[in-house]
Amino acid sequence: MRGRKRVAVEVVVGLALLVVSSLALAPLVGMAGAAEAGKVIRVGLWSAPGSLSAINADSSYGYFVVHFIYDSLVEMRPDMSFRPRLARSWEISADGRTYTFHLDPRATWHDGRPITAEDVRFTIETIATPGVQTNRGNAIKSIEGLDANGKKMGATIPGVRVIDAHTIAITTKTAVDPARFLEQFGTGVFVIPKHLLEGLSPEQLARADALLRPTVGSGPFRFVRYVTDQYVELERYDHYYRGPARVDRILIRIAPAPSIAAALINGEIDVVAGPGIGEVPLQDWELVKRAAHLRPVTEPSLGYQFLAINHARPYFQDVRVRRAIAMAVDVDLMVQQLYKGQAVRARGPFSPVTPYENRDLDPIPHDPAAARALLSQAGWERGRTVELLVPTGNTLREQTAAIIQANLQAVGMQVRIQRLDFPTVLSRVFSDDFDLVVLGWTDTFDPDHVSSTFRTGGQYNLSNFSDPEVDALIDAAAAERDPARRKELYDRLQVLFQERVPAVFLYYPNMLAAVNVRLVDADPSIVPFEFRASEWDVRP
């Protein structure tokens, strides 16, 4: 009887939680009833996408939607292999510098126009044009004729050559690891329609309807509508060159983290969006695992949470202050108490699921006494209060910020937390209007992602970190083709990161996801599963 009582209590508690959570789900219910005919899959996304531009979506939330609407040249599969997408085949020259892509001649835009090599060239040139608002520079920066941020250094780009309507050759500055180039460029550039955007100035591109309301894409689904802060509706493109998708519609619903478990259990969403943008909160994980109609999916993550320190602030330029911050923060407490062990402490910005993490390197120790001593040596002003920004919507991230605040105040640094919605936080960060901010970053499998995040002038160098020795090491590692030698260089880079403290690397949370058992081939993954959306299906 004791076991039955415990089960009964769990059921009652679970129902109570669902009732409370369902109140927060009110905006989800019935918002798209007219679109529910046919096979429909409803995906839960934590926060609203600020932009759906294929060249400048403002976050992972926006690019999640972009993946359904636009195609890249290749796609990465869960086994880390690369498969054809717009490019049905490709060859690499003997010197490792020229990649020749052969486009699928069946591919068309959603308005029926053919997709050609000129569209690919136009996309690269648009991204590379100074003044164009884009965050795809890191994807093309290795192309000959572009600078470290992927911008043109002359009137033309010598590394891009159209051979015929369906063939384009891309030449890199130096020979690079093919896996690096195919991941960065092949999967990271979403081809945009030249016939709709040609001739627009950078200012006009920033507000072009064809990018912000992308009714003409190239992927398996077409954009129908975006009801702000509620849902994005997509419909199948029946003439998709790889064959029409198996389902009729995708509804991407905005389901804040506190509501997402109830939405799954109540059947209001069928699957979550995945790492960092739509997961099951840890406190709801056991509840979701017990739901008979849901399949839990978990795996180690590519994404990490980190504390960005604004190096542009004079009071953070002394490395002793930054190291004091790192030593004050109790990351083990976060991993054990907040995540109940469902996270891995970060040694640096390289995921433990890749071979590039330096496993011989111990994390910076939690040592409040040493942190206080370093602040004293650096002459830290005891009366100064710094602001810690934290985006709302991710409960564990907000709790992480509270721990950081308490840890820093315990060593003599006064901290005021400012909670803001994600787009507002990003706006302030990109305007350098911050002291400290807790954010998440999703790595690529190739380690060169650090060139955009920690190299001087990198597109996502949110901390404004600059160090010539770090820059030289990042460049050398990026140009190295031998995996063993690259590993050595990145191991050294991680040692430098601990010495120079560009940011405080916190932890890699495990992905906690779930999918309705009636869905087929739609399990979330650390490799973006939305790339495979045309294969998703629903059992009768």
Side-chain angles (χ1 to χ4, degrees):
M1 290 299 294
R2 184 166 51 195
R4 291 186 180 180
K5 281 185 179 180
R6 183 173 62 84
V7 171
V9 169
E10 287 178 346
V11 170
V12 170
V13 171
L15 289 173
L17 286 172
L18 287 179
V19 169
V20 172
S21 298
S22 294
L23 295 176
L25 269 173
L28 292 177
V29 180
M31 68 171 67
E36 295 288 350
K39 285 186 178 181
V40 180
I41 291 180
R42 297 153 300 175
V43 187
L45 192 68
W46 275 343
S47 292
S51 167
L52 301 181
S53 169
I55 63 170
N56 199 41
D58 63 352
S59 67
S60 297
Y61 298 105
Y63 277 113
F64 178 78
V65 181
V66 166
H67 287 164
F68 293 90
I69 303 171
Y70 291 93
D71 267 348
S72 53
L73 290 177
V74 304
E75 68 172 85
M76 179 185 281
R77 304 295 288 194
D79 63 359
M80 311 309 155
S81 65
F82 295 93
R83 303 283 182 86
R85 198 70 174 210
L86 282 175
R88 65 178 180 178
S89 63
W90 56 90
E91 302 100 36
I92 306 172
S93 63
D95 65 0
R97 291 186 58 206
T98 299
Y99 293 72
T100 303
F101 294 96
H102 303 277
L103 304 188
D104 194 317
R106 302 169 299 171
T108 64
W109 295 105
H110 292 161
D111 60 4
R113 295 279 293 266
I115 298 172
T116 71
E118 287 294 343
D119 289 306
V120 180
R121 175 161 64 182
F122 173 77
T123 302
I124 297 169
E125 289 183 343
T126 299
I127 295 169
T129 298
V132 169
Q133 294 179 22
T134 176
N135 48 32
R136 298 290 89 187
N138 191 58
I140 66 171
K141 67 180 181 182
S142 59
I143 297 175
E144 185 178 20
L146 303 182
D147 65 17
N149 289 317
K151 292 301 181 182
K152 288 193 289 189
M153 296 186 290
T156 62
I157 307 175
V160 178
R161 181 167 57 94
V162 170
I163 296 174
D164 59 40
H166 293 100
T167 310
I168 188 166
I170 309 295
T171 300
T172 57
K173 302 168 193 172
T174 61
V176 296
D177 185 335
R180 172 195 160 196
F181 186 74
L182 290 175
E183 185 178 4
Q184 282 186 341
F185 175 77
T187 74
V189 172
F190 300 94
V191 180
I192 56 177
K194 178 181 179 180
H195 66 284
L196 295 180
L197 298 165
E198 187 176 23
L200 298 183
S201 68
E203 294 76 19
Q204 291 170 324
L205 276 168
R207 55 179 185 271
D209 194 57
L211 287 174
L212 302 181
R213 188 176 175 275
T215 54
V216 179
S218 58
F221 290 91
R222 302 170 56 144
F223 175 82
V224 176
R225 66 176 61 87
Y226 171 34
V227 178
T228 304
D229 296 331
Q230 293 187 43
Y231 67 95
V232 179
E233 181 182 350
L234 310 173
E235 66 180 2
R236 180 176 60 207
Y237 177 49
D238 288 332
H239 303 293
Y240 185 53
Y241 62 100
R242 291 161 56 90
R246 298 172 183 174
V247 300
D248 300 290
R249 290 183 182 266
I250 301 286
L251 292 178
I252 301 170
R253 293 183 159 183
I254 313 308
S259 307
I260 209 160
L264 280 164
I265 293 171
N266 295 341
E268 291 159 359
I269 59 174
D270 302 303
V271 62
V272 294
I277 56 174
E279 298 183 64
V280 177
L282 185 61
Q283 64 267 27
D284 298 326
W285 183 234
E286 292 301 320
L287 193 64
V288 166
K289 284 168 63 177
R290 291 198 296 269
H293 67 291
L294 298 175
R295 180 170 58 252
V297 183
T298 184
E299 57 186 28
S301 176
L302 271 178
Y304 62 88
Q305 298 293 310
F306 69 107
L307 177 67
I309 304 169
N310 188 356
H311 291 236
R313 299 289 202 234
Y315 39 87
F316 288 141
Q317 290 175 1
D318 189 323
V319 70
R320 292 173 296 184
V321 172
R322 302 195 302 273
R323 188 163 181 84
I325 293 172
M327 298 184 83
V329 174
D330 192 349
V331 181
D332 287 333
L333 179 68
M334 300 170 188
V335 169
Q336 297 305 321
Q337 292 197 9
L338 295 186
Y339 281 88
K340 312 299 182 187
Q342 289 282 359
V344 177
R345 185 170 182 181
R347 291 182 171 90
F350 297 98
S351 171
V353 305
T354 75
Y356 289 99
E357 184 196 39
N358 185 346
R359 294 176 175 84
D360 294 328
L361 188 64
D362 291 329
I364 294 176
H366 172 56
D367 191 337
R372 281 190 290 271
L374 284 171
L375 287 177
S376 178
Q377 292 168 22
W380 181 261
E381 293 181 18
R382 305 283 294 186
R384 174 182 287 121
T385 297
V386 298
E387 184 181 61
L388 172 58
L389 295 183
V390 56
T392 56
N394 182 333
T395 303
L396 289 178
R397 183 188 289 161
E398 293 182 47
Q399 292 173 347
T400 292
I403 290 175
I404 292 172
Q405 179 189 41
N407 289 160
L408 294 181
Q409 293 189 158
V411 299
M413 184 178 290
Q414 298 306 308
V415 178
R416 180 182 67 254
I417 289 181
Q418 179 68 50
R419 294 177 176 85
L420 299 168
D421 63 82
F422 194 77
T424 302
V425 168
L426 281 186
S427 176
R428 287 194 53 182
V429 169
F430 281 113
S431 300
D432 291 336
D433 181 21
F434 77 101
D435 290 320
L436 305 170
V437 59
V438 182
L439 288 172
W441 178 262
T442 299
D443 297 348
T444 55
F445 282 90
D446 188 88
D448 187 52
H449 56 81
V450 293
S451 64
S452 68
T453 50
F454 297 107
R455 194 188 185 285
T456 301
Q459 191 165 20
Y460 294 109
N461 189 340
L462 305 181
S463 295
N464 298 300
F465 175 70
S466 180
D467 185 288
E469 189 176 356
V470 167
D471 291 349
L473 200 49
I474 287 176
D475 291 345
E480 179 59 57
R481 296 184 72 193
D482 177 14
R485 176 61 181 153
R486 287 190 85 198
K487 165 69 172 165
E488 292 175 5
L489 294 171
Y490 283 116
D491 281 353
R492 285 173 50 198
L493 181 63
Q494 290 166 78
V495 173
L496 277 184
F497 280 158
Q498 286 207 357
E499 292 176 359
R500 313 292 162 84
V501 197
V504 180
F505 306 105
L506 300 172
Y507 49 78
Y508 283 85
N510 290 345
M511 180 190 76
L512 301 179
V515 57
N516 194 300
V517 296
R518 69 191 183 93
L519 268 58
V520 179
D521 295 329
D523 283 14
S525 170
I526 60 173
V527 177
F529 76 138
E530 62 271 20
F531 268 124
R532 307 187 297 279
S534 64
E535 302 168 22
W536 297 1
D537 204 352
V538 180
R539 291 188 179 93

